[in-house]
Amino acid sequence: MYQDRASGFSEMLPYVLLRSHVARNSCLKTHGVSPLQRYLCNVSSNSGGYPHVAIIGSGPSGFYTAKYLLEKHPTLRIDMIEKLPVPFGLVRYGVAPDHAEVKNVTSTFKDVALNNRFRFFGNIEILKEHDERNVRMRGAPDATLLDVKMLQNHYSAVVLAYGAEEDRSINIPNENSSGVLSARSFVNWYNGHPDFTYIGESIDLSKVHEVVIIGNGNVAIDCARILTKDVHELEKTDISTIALEKLKKSSVKRVTIVGRRGAAQSSFTIKELRELTRLPNVSVSISEEDMSKSMTDSSKLEAEESRPISRILELMRSIVKQSTAVDSNAKSSHANKAIDIRFLLRPIDIKVDLAQLPELPLQARAADKDLEILPIASSTVGARLYSLHRPKTIKSIILKKTELIGKPFEQQARDIHEKGKDDSMELVSISCQLLLKSVGYRSIRLRGVPFDASRSVVPHVHGRVVDSATQSEFSKTTATTETLVSSDRSTDGGIREMTDLLSKMLSSSDMDQGVNSGSKPLVAANDENKQSTSMLSPLYVVGWLKNGPTGTVATSVIDAKDTVGSMLADMKAVNTDSASVGEHHIRNVLSDPIEQLTMLKAKTVVSWSEYLNIDETESRTGSIQEPPKPLLKIHSVQDMLQIAKSK
Ligand code: NAP
């Protein structure tokens, strides 16, 4: 009888069936459940079912997690949920367009998607904390919104793989002026991300001669390269055509990359720095003074102990030699663009043209009540409105000279104060009309998910989401993996060493057993947390949201294996009815949860085959360009949807 009633309800009210897939144990513990609910719970768990995992985010971490789960488990199913109608996250919108070899990893991901136990649901946004209205204004009004708890109610497990979609701040005056952008926005813009097409409206590259980039990481190098590279070379890539047109008109002649610490502490990898030195018509320089001040006793020890550091210092010394050997006037005769790499300078102020400073953020608030809730400086929409109305040029950045203090590998930058000397002597001003803040990305919190706000990551133990107290308890166990994952100093050196080491730790035979070094069943330390989450499926985390914004596509392989190892262990524990696995039981479900929900949104949710329509259009139109491009990227969500649904 209940069965008939259940199917009847499911046709009329998808939610009734959706809500039925709460695991049996949780259901039976619950007081006050209706006979219908009790029946549905029993159906879910008694009839075999299979683990059905939702992965939020379709970047490299999400796809590698899917790949290893599908490889290691014979029946497990995966639904991948992506905010945009198109997959691949950072591979599509983060990796530089002229690094096609890195983007080739999408062919591996496309193979994963061919598995009939894998499904893709694009254009579905999972609610972040406090951002319903923000999302509504983001420019994707048709995106379906889901809550992570809703997914936990209906899937066997949920994997958070949504990366880092905000910026760290440098906390100096005028940071939000027009002419100041996060490198993340700039990268998204030249890669054609639909949310960042506005950048070209606020920055007129034809009026920009000097650019300063704050931060000594690979993203800074990517930005410097794109700003100085011959546009005819960029034309052959999948760079956004909107950005390409702006770059063709660019007047940029000098890019200065500035680090607050020294040469040995930079986060550049040698391959990326070397590539910069090989750009035709671009001179790269490092001053002898910066280099020698960088080489404290501790820095020398760092170089002795780390091969990637000693190798990059060697390359930097050769850059110093070239910079000093060639007189800068002579240099400019054969190199028409320059990249200066500076060290030991901390940004403290941005000089803007005060005469043009309008009070527009406040006026905008008065004009549109919705704006009152926007954290203007940190949200995409807020930043857009703000930047459109701020002065069109900045004048310069003011930096304070620093020195290194501390033990090897722990050196920090301290402001220089020389006795008897005026502090203003320790200031450096660099003229610029565009300032890019390349000081790292930041993850944001999902509603109802534990979050370590100080590090902007989700607390975890080998990928199992826990509260911060539980993470501290297990921190000794995790230290090894985290240190290794964050120590990718060299793409061609350090990563390989690290990959070898971690591969040994997480060998595939271990994964077959569902065992990794942290596969010990967990019990949450916090009783309150335990109670509130006892009805929900376990959560896992992977990628930058787990480790912070560091690591390349290669590191996401190792990291995904870590989380997958935990998931397999948790599945094994429940199958063998092992005792006290705490919250991380992965149970089987019969559900097809999202399909029913998304039926309501058939016009806007994008399936894999519909994404392939977009892919086919982008490849075809790219191939007929002159010169041909691997993809001619579509820039708007509406256009993507139209093409996705057109066949
Ligand atoms: P990153 O490597 O962490 O570099 C961030 C830089 O910002 C560091 O030099 C850091 O200096 C500096 N910084 C942080 N806060 C600052 C502040 N308040 N003031 C001044 N400077 C500050 O980050 P990223 O460049 O965004 O790259 C993210 C990850 O992506 C990295 O793992 C990178 O290797 C990877 N990536 C790889 C490639 C590639 O392989 N081609 C390309 C792009 C990105 P401190 O060290 O002093 O904190």
Side-chain angles (χ1 to χ4, degrees), residues 99 168-170 214-220 222 258-261 265-267 269 272 346-347 438-441 488 491 544 549-552:
H99 282 179
R168 285 194 194 136
S169 156
I170 51 175
I214 304 294
N216 273 176
N218 282 337
V219 170
D222 279 352
V258 182
R260 61 181 169 184
R261 296 194 290 160
Q265 294 74 41
S266 71
S267 312
T269 50
E272 279 57 41
R346 180 178 73 84
S438 185
V439 297
Y441 292 24
D488 58 323
T491 331
W544 283 10
T550 178
T552 57

Side-chain angles (χ1 to χ4, degrees), residues 432-448:
C432 58
Q433 299 79 50
L434 173 63
L435 179 75
L436 298 179
K437 298 176 290 175
S438 185
V439 297
Y441 292 24
R442 193 170 64 85
S443 295
I444 44 181
R445 181 181 201 143
L446 276 191
R447 210 157 68 170

Side-chain angles (χ1 to χ4, degrees), residues 184-225:
R184 185 186 64 88
S185 313
F186 189 68
V187 168
N188 275 308
W189 172 67
Y190 65 60
N191 274 317
H193 192 298
D195 288 353
F196 293 85
T197 50
Y198 72 93
I199 297 281
E201 296 162 35
S202 58
I203 307 286
D204 182 356
L205 282 178
S206 70
K207 295 194 175 121
V208 175
H209 301 275
E210 296 148 311
V211 182
V212 169
I213 306 178
I214 304 294
N216 273 176
N218 282 337
V219 170
I221 289 194
D222 279 352
C223 294
R225 196 178 63 254

Side-chain angles (χ1 to χ4, degrees), residues 300-602:
K300 286 176 191 156
L301 277 170
E302 286 172 19
E304 270 170 36
E305 284 180 31
S306 157
R307 182 151 162 69
I309 293 180
S310 70
R311 289 181 68 219
I312 204 156
L313 286 174
E314 207 176 297
L315 175 60
M316 287 178 179
R317 279 192 204 98
S318 74
I319 297 174
V320 172
K321 254 192 199 163
Q322 278 167 19
S323 328
T324 43
V326 187
D327 167 73
S328 62
N329 290 333
K331 205 169 35 170
S332 58
S333 63
H334 53 82
N336 56 22
K337 288 178 189 165
I339 297 174
D340 297 333
I341 301 176
R342 302 292 311 268
F343 300 110
L344 299 166
L345 292 172
R346 180 178 73 84
I348 58 166
D349 197 6
I350 296 164
K351 295 291 176 202
V352 295
D353 189 345
L354 287 174
Q356 296 181 44
L357 264 178
E359 293 291 316
L360 268 163
L362 292 176
Q363 289 173 11
R365 283 178 199 202
D368 185 342
K369 276 189 187 153
D370 273 344
L371 285 177
E372 281 169 17
I373 57 133
L374 287 172
I376 289 225
S378 64
S379 78
T380 300
V381 176
R384 175 180 181 171
L385 286 164
Y386 200 48
S387 63
L388 282 176
H389 296 106
R390 294 303 296 259
K392 298 296 174 211
T393 54
I394 55 164
K395 293 201 301 190
S396 59
I397 173 128
I398 309 297
L399 304 125
K400 187 140 194 154
K401 292 183 191 168
T402 63
E403 60 190 350
L404 292 170
I405 49 156
K407 293 188 223 154
F409 300 103
E410 289 173 22
Q411 292 188 87
Q412 294 301 321
R414 179 178 69 182
D415 288 355
I416 294 181
H417 297 284
E418 274 192 40
K419 257 193 182 170
K421 253 192 173 177
D422 178 358
D423 262 6
S424 62
M425 302 283 289
E426 310 300 349
L427 298 182
V428 170
S429 165
I430 304 179
S431 165
C432 58
Q433 299 79 50
L434 173 63
L435 179 75
L436 298 179
K437 298 176 290 175
S438 185
V439 297
Y441 292 24
R442 193 170 64 85
S443 295
I444 44 181
R445 181 181 201 143
L446 276 191
R447 210 157 68 170
V449 173
F451 198 70
D452 174 351
S454 64
R455 295 181 56 227
S456 299
V457 292
V458 169
H460 72 97
V461 173
H462 288 284
R464 299 173 173 101
V465 175
V466 295
D467 56 25
S468 295
T470 309
Q471 186 182 33
S472 311
E473 208 177 294
F474 282 82
S475 61
K476 265 196 185 160
T477 332
T478 50
T480 332
T481 310
E482 285 193 351
T483 308
L484 287 162
V485 166
S486 63
S487 68
D488 58 323
R489 291 238 7 141
S490 160
T491 331
D492 52 356
I495 292 219
R496 219 182 1 252
E497 287 162 25
M498 183 194 69
T499 308
D500 287 350
L501 191 53
L502 274 171
S503 298
K504 277 180 204 151
M505 284 169 61
L506 305 168
S507 69
S508 57
S509 61
D510 281 350
M511 280 185 50
D512 286 337
Q513 302 296 311
V515 175
N516 59 22
S517 47
S519 64
K520 215 164 81 177
L522 291 178
V523 183
N526 176 330
D527 272 354
E528 197 184 311
N529 184 27
K530 201 193 284 181
Q531 205 161 27
S532 66
T533 55
S534 63
M535 291 287 291
L536 302 172
S537 303
L539 273 178
Y540 297 86
V541 63
V542 71
W544 283 10
L545 185 62
K546 172 184 174 189
N547 303 304
T550 178
T552 57
V553 174
T555 31
S556 59
V557 170
I558 311 298
D559 178 59
K561 285 184 176 178
D562 180 47
T563 295
V564 168
S566 298
M567 294 179 74
L568 295 173
D570 295 345
M571 274 179 245
K572 199 166 176 236
V574 73
N575 289 340
T576 55
D577 215 14
S578 134
S580 76
V581 184
E583 306 196 17
H584 284 82
H585 269 114
I586 297 191
R587 304 171 177 99
N588 294 339
V589 290
L590 268 181
S591 62
D592 196 354
I594 202 168
E595 189 169 75
Q596 305 198 28
L597 184 64
T598 54
M599 267 164 47
L600 302 173
K601 284 274 186 181

